[in-house]
Amino acid sequence: QVQLVESGGGSVQAGGSLRLSCVVSTYTFSMFGNIYCMGWFRQAPGKEREAVATIDSDGRINVADSAKGRFTISQVKAKNTLYLQMNDLKPEDTATYYCAAARLFVWHHGGFCSAPRGGMDDWGKGTLVTIST
């Protein structure tokens, strides 16, 4: 099981920025030399979890329409870390943000990468992002 630890959440005003980090335990998985799909997902109170952005080991990326132009997903393999830079935050971005990974994956037409049967294999515990007006 891949261990994922998110950080960087917090409370900011609308229009502000946050950068989320997801550190992958090197004892459980190394980004170097492996194929994988990783991503950021979020779940707002009373709503279903949704994908925000995914990236694979080759750097192929997809970002949700609601986040395009504002959020950037990136990875630094040397640090075994996944990032989500969030700019121009809006109250509707308020949610718990989760990092997730799949070691075998597929890309869905026009969508995100995921485990072959859907979903992701491993999840972090989440970090809360709260955007105020």
Side-chain angles (χ1 to χ4, degrees), residues 20-24 31 36 38-40 53-55 73-76 79-84 98-100:
L20 306 184
S21 300
C22 172
V23 176
V24 183
M31 287 180 168
Y36 56 83
M38 292 189 70
W40 290 98
T54 58
I55 186 170
I73 188 171
S74 63
Q75 57 190 352
V76 177
K79 293 185 177 181
N80 234 37
T81 302
L82 181 74
Y83 299 98
L84 184 69
Y98 299 90
C99 172

Side-chain angles (χ1 to χ4, degrees), residues 16-17 23 28 44 53 73 94 106 129:
S17 299
V23 176
T28 59
I73 188 171
T94 295
V106 296
V129 171

